[in-house]
Amino acid sequence: MYGYQETERWIDDKGIEHVIYTVGYFYDDGHFVPESDHSTPEEAAEKATFLNKK
C-alpha cells in the first residue's frame, strides 16, 4: 500500500523551515520504497491516494 512520511526537516539560513514528505510503497514487513517527494502533506496524500487506486 502507498502512503507517505516526513523524511526531511531543516531550517535555512533565513530561518525558514522546510519539510519534505516522501510518498512510497509500504510492504507488510515495514520496508518503505520511495516513489516521489512533496512539499506539503496534502500533496503527498493526494499522490498516495492516486497510486493506491491504480
Side-chain angles (χ1 to χ4, degrees), residues 6 9-12 14-19:
E6 181 182 311
R9 180 181 292 262
W10 73 96
I11 298 175
D12 67 20
K14 295 181 181 178
I16 298 171
E17 183 174 52
H18 300 272
V19 182

Side-chain angles (χ1 to χ4, degrees), residues 1-49:
M1 169 174 270
Y2 285 93
Y4 68 94
Q5 61 187 3
E6 181 182 311
T7 53
E8 293 182 41
R9 180 181 292 262
W10 73 96
I11 298 175
D12 67 20
D13 57 353
K14 295 181 181 178
I16 298 171
E17 183 174 52
H18 300 272
V19 182
I20 299 292
Y21 300 90
T22 301
V23 172
Y25 193 83
F26 286 95
Y27 286 91
D28 291 337
D29 65 0
H31 185 75
F32 180 74
V33 178
E35 192 274 337
S36 59
D37 291 328
H38 303 272
S39 57
T40 68
E42 293 81 12
E43 290 173 354
E46 186 176 321
K47 178 69 175 206
T49 299

